[in-house]
Amino acid sequence: MTEKRFSVCFEPGHKIINGQKGDSLLDLAIAAGTGLCASCGGEGVCGRCRIKLVEGELECEDHLQISAEEFAQGIRLACQSRLISNVTVEILAESRFDTALSGDTISCTLQSQPESAEDKAVLPLRKVLLKLTPPSGTDNASDLARLKRFLKPVCPAEPDIDYHLLSGLSETLRENNWEVSVSLLKTPFGEKIINIQPGDRTKATYAFAFDIGTTGVRGQLVELTESKVLTQATEYNGQIPLGEDVISRINYAAREGGLIQLQRAVVNTLNNLGNAMLSEYGLTAEDISFATIAANTTITQLLYGLDPKHLRLAPYVPAANELPLIPARHINLSICPQAYIYTLPCVASYVGGDIVAGVISTNIPRREGLVLYIDIGTNGEIVVGNKDFMLTASCSAGPAFEGGGIKNGMLAKPGAVEDIELDTQNFEPKLSIIGGGSPKGICGAGLINTVSALLKCGLLGQNGKYNSNIKTSRLRKGADGCEYVLAFGREFGQGQDITLSEVDIDNLIRAKAAMYAGYQTLLENAGASFDNLEKVIIAGTFGAKLNIKKAINIGLLPELPEERFIFVGNGSLAGARLCAFDANVQTQAAAAAKMMTNVELSESTSFMDNYMAAMFLPHTKSSDFPEVYAALSKFNGGNT
């Protein structure tokens, strides 16, 4: 007897899907493509997959993340809800993510190669026009031998050929009277023929460069022969509903069919981005002859369908750090089926090709002075070094910098509070909101700026606790302890107040402590200190929105002169693009990855000591932040 099937309607969007009794509502929401977030991958820990039961019944027990009042109103966690009837549910606004990262611009230097590059650029893929003479009674060489003979003047070393081309070779050569365009891919073993097209197709050679982040995926359409960026696009990583961080995605991959779902989700994201860029230029997928990709180690393995479980099991070993050139058809990437994908090499389980890309795009392997490179995010990565050495590490900072783990947190998109000014007399806020309009939540940059403002005006103590002696309507007792109200919902026609609780602040303190301790520990391993740094390079789109002074105020960044800090925008995308323009850069990337020594912070007692010392605003050591301490002491009447 077959199981009875029920219908589920997800609002908004009126997406309908059928399921069987006992099916997880989260699994059905993911299958329906609703964009429902589940930071923990459905483990019932994060409390992000909040839905409201509108009609019907669900099997769902009480949960700590849902108050009794909310439960009575029909609020449930999708991951803890099972189907027992036809239902209509509403996905709450704070649990949805948009398809596109609206207003997210990519700030990076559009250079064709790194500064001070010594070698002339060598295209990793080139097209050659050949006019062959037809076979005759006196020249009856095979079609392949004839092709290679006419290639010899421009390709002295005999190239290999992708065997897929052999089946159509004879017809292709004869289709346009023996005139063909041959695509040659540079590999570690010499050049390889990857495509043969009738006629002259050499006027332009197009490629994609992608940076696949845990949260956002960014791409550029480039023309190789002129080293030119044509357009760029950004979209959320489609894997987010299956887990907002790499650990939750590794867990999800262990589920039946989970790895396939994760791979399809990220490939679909790349295809959506690619189609958007192609349509802007009137091109088709067949016009793309090459692609380069930079991503962290987990995302790289998921992209290629490699089981990532050993990345989080000691001794934390990836399946491979360097992947071979891979035909696009193997992962269903929508570009020319004969095209290949180059992926930047990884270093370790949590130090991936995205950081290698950032390192080469900022020329760290050629710098004389000591540099600290940081990519602040959920999986914060750090590099300390120069032309002589590079130490690298990954800090599990958590999702606070991306708006995760915060009750009213959200990604940096329209409606997010990104900055705040506080009246020091009545503690009323003046909010700066991305895109203007009404506030919907608080993003990572807004979180840092708000905590800095609360600390400076005395509402917040250095231990992360509110000063309850100060009387203001903005400070109140909430479900998670004392909280500050940034915006009352009634003022903006919303049902929910936007607040910042002590639990939220504690999450931020843990995140910033992990990052700061990471910098400190790597410098100690290098026998150096913050004073020895010539530059601090801040990468990532989050970094572009960071206020240096306010980040120093809370102890996220070291107290150094502001001129030592550099924002480079998306260093990962810049590195991927450079690898598309120049095969020499691919060689530099491989050398840089081998030069980078990974430090496992989780096994370092020094890191734990530094971490505990940083669990304070800005830090327990006033000598590390003398100017911040002086300002706090002056404002608070000499007390800090």
Side-chain angles (χ1 to χ4, degrees):
M1 183 176 176
T2 58
E3 284 281 351
K4 184 175 180 181
R5 298 183 67 79
F6 299 108
S7 171
V8 184
C9 177
F10 290 100
E11 301 289 359
H14 202 69
K15 293 188 176 182
I16 298 174
I17 190 170
N18 293 323
Q20 295 180 345
K21 181 178 180 181
D23 282 352
S24 162
L25 202 67
L26 176 61
D27 289 345
L28 293 170
I30 291 170
T34 61
L36 174 63
C37 291
S39 307
C40 62
E43 298 294 322
V45 177
C46 68
R48 290 293 297 273
C49 59
R50 292 161 64 90
I51 54 98
K52 183 176 182 180
L53 182 61
V54 179
E55 290 182 5
E57 293 182 59
L58 291 169
E59 184 179 72
C60 182
E61 297 180 1
D62 294 348
H63 194 277
L64 291 174
Q65 299 281 1
I66 305 294
S67 68
E69 182 181 358
E70 289 175 325
F71 193 88
Q73 294 171 353
I75 308 299
R76 305 286 189 270
L77 293 184
C79 67
Q80 302 299 304
S81 301
R82 300 283 169 181
L83 199 59
I84 57 174
S85 75
N86 295 327
V87 294
T88 297
V89 298
E90 176 190 355
I91 298 175
L92 301 185
E94 63 267 26
S95 298
R96 299 194 299 265
F97 76 94
D98 300 330
T99 304
L101 284 166
S102 305
D104 181 19
T105 58
I106 302 170
S107 171
C108 51
T109 306
L110 300 181
Q111 59 193 54
S112 61
Q113 58 183 23
E115 297 172 11
S116 305
E118 297 167 359
D119 303 320
K120 184 178 179 180
V122 175
L123 285 175
L125 185 135
R126 62 183 178 129
K127 291 184 178 180
V128 177
L129 178 65
L130 298 179
K131 178 67 176 175
L132 285 68
T133 56
S136 65
T138 57
D139 181 11
N140 61 353
S142 71
D143 288 342
L144 179 57
R146 184 177 306 279
L147 178 73
K148 289 187 175 181
R149 184 204 309 164
F150 278 83
L151 261 178
K152 196 162 188 179
V154 292
C155 188
E158 184 174 307
D160 190 10
I161 185 169
D162 193 320
Y163 80 94
H164 286 89
L165 299 176
L166 295 178
S167 62
L169 176 62
S170 298
E171 288 70 24
T172 301
L173 291 175
R174 291 163 175 79
E175 184 176 328
N176 202 63
N177 196 27
W178 295 88
E179 184 179 76
V180 292
S181 296
V182 179
S183 296
L184 293 162
L185 177 70
K186 189 173 180 59
T187 79
F189 312 104
E191 288 191 294
K192 180 174 185 175
I193 302 171
I194 65 165
N195 203 8
I196 305 167
Q197 298 167 289
D200 187 355
R201 306 289 186 90
T202 61
K203 290 183 175 59
T205 304
Y206 301 104
F208 283 145
F210 289 113
D211 161 44
I212 309 178
T214 309
T215 300
V217 181
R218 294 157 178 90
Q220 291 183 333
L221 170 63
V222 301
E223 203 288 307
L224 297 185
T225 55
E226 295 184 10
S227 296
K228 183 178 180 182
V229 177
L230 302 180
T231 189
Q232 56 194 23
T234 308
E235 187 171 310
Y236 279 111
N237 189 325
Q239 296 174 331
I240 291 175
L242 311 177
E244 283 190 343
D245 56 42
V246 294
I247 298 300
S248 59
R249 290 180 202 175
I250 292 172
N251 290 340
Y252 195 90
R255 300 171 58 170
E256 184 178 354
L259 180 57
I260 294 174
Q261 279 185 277
L262 286 159
Q263 183 189 36
R264 286 175 179 167
V266 70
V267 172
N268 286 342
T269 304
L270 296 179
N271 288 338
N272 290 340
L273 274 177
N275 291 337
M277 292 187 287
L278 289 171
S279 63
E280 185 177 339
Y281 265 78
L283 300 174
T284 68
E286 290 282 339
D287 293 312
I288 304 299
S289 302
F290 189 52
T292 57
I293 291 174
N296 67 46
T297 311
T298 300
I299 299 297
T300 298
Q301 295 208 184
L302 293 174
L303 175 66
Y304 293 116
L306 304 175
D307 190 342
K309 67 181 178 184
H310 293 291
L311 295 178
R312 65 168 306 190
L313 299 174
Y316 316 110
V317 177
N321 280 331
E322 284 193 68
L323 290 167
L325 289 159
I326 296 167
R329 60 182 175 271
H330 282 194
I331 63 168
N332 295 318
L333 185 65
S334 291
I335 60 178
C336 177
Q338 284 76 34
Y340 275 70
I341 305 169
Y342 166 80
T343 307
L344 277 100
C346 300
V347 177
S349 57
Y350 295 111
V351 179
D354 49 353
I355 295 306
V356 174
V359 162
I360 60 170
S361 69
T362 53
N363 292 308
I364 293 177
R366 297 184 179 187
R367 291 179 180 265
E368 296 283 345
L370 190 65
V371 170
L372 170 64
Y373 178 98
I374 52 180
D375 193 334
I376 302 171
T378 302
N379 186 44
E381 290 117 339
I382 312 162
V383 178
V384 167
N386 54 21
K387 66 181 182 62
D388 298 318
F389 75 98
M390 282 187 285
L391 297 180
T392 182
S394 172
C395 300
S396 183
F401 296 123
E402 303 284 353
I406 308 300
K407 183 180 179 182
N408 295 125
M410 63 182 290
L411 292 164
K413 58 182 182 179
V417 175
E418 64 176 345
D419 204 355
I420 183 174
E421 290 180 18
L422 280 179
D423 188 308
T424 56
Q425 300 300 315
N426 59 18
F427 305 104
E428 286 295 305
K430 181 180 179 182
L431 304 179
S432 175
I433 300 162
I434 296 175
S438 301
K440 298 177 182 177
I442 182 168
C443 65
L447 180 63
I448 291 167
N449 296 338
T450 300
V451 170
S452 173
L454 292 168
L455 182 66
K456 285 195 69 176
C457 76
L459 260 181
L460 187 69
Q462 291 180 261
N463 61 355
K465 304 300 179 185
Y466 285 111
N467 185 349
S468 57
N469 293 324
I470 294 178
K471 303 303 178 186
T472 168
S473 61
R474 295 279 173 176
L475 207 58
R476 71 187 187 192
K477 185 75 173 176
D480 295 323
C482 196
E483 62 186 20
Y484 177 83
V485 183
L486 283 82
F488 289 105
R490 63 178 182 271
E491 296 176 357
F492 299 97
Q494 300 177 28
Q496 188 179 28
D497 296 340
I498 298 173
T499 63
L500 191 66
S501 71
E502 290 177 343
V503 171
D504 295 333
I505 294 167
D506 185 58
N507 284 335
L508 174 65
I509 291 175
R510 291 174 188 276
K512 74 92 183 174
M515 293 298 299
Y516 190 87
Y519 321 148
Q520 203 168 21
T521 304
L522 278 194
L523 283 166
E524 289 169 358
N525 275 264
S529 67
F530 289 117
D531 291 335
N532 300 126
L533 293 173
E534 180 182 272
K535 292 292 180 185
V536 177
I537 301 173
I538 303 172
T541 50
F542 171 81
K545 306 179 193 308
L546 198 62
N547 182 298
I548 292 291
K549 288 184 178 179
K550 293 178 181 180
I552 292 172
N553 284 343
I554 71 164
L556 172 60
L557 296 177
E559 189 176 281
L560 293 171
E562 207 163 335
E563 60 269 18
R564 291 200 204 177
F565 294 91
I566 305 174
F567 292 116
V568 295
N570 195 327
S572 176
L573 182 60
R577 180 181 66 251
L578 295 177
C579 287
F581 288 153
D582 191 353
N584 291 326
V585 180
Q586 297 178 17
T587 303
Q588 293 168 21
K594 289 182 173 65
M595 184 180 171
M596 295 164 73
T597 301
N598 181 55
V599 177
E600 285 290 350
L601 297 180
S602 61
E603 299 177 2
S604 168
T605 55
S606 175
F607 172 74
M608 289 308 300
D609 292 340
N610 290 331
Y611 174 74
M612 294 307 297
M615 287 285 290
F616 201 63
L617 296 170
H619 200 274
T620 55
K621 289 179 66 177
S622 58
S623 58
D624 283 3
F625 293 86
E627 292 184 15
V628 176
Y629 264 82
L632 291 176
S633 177
K634 181 180 179 181
F635 192 86
N636 293 304
N639 298 313
T640 55

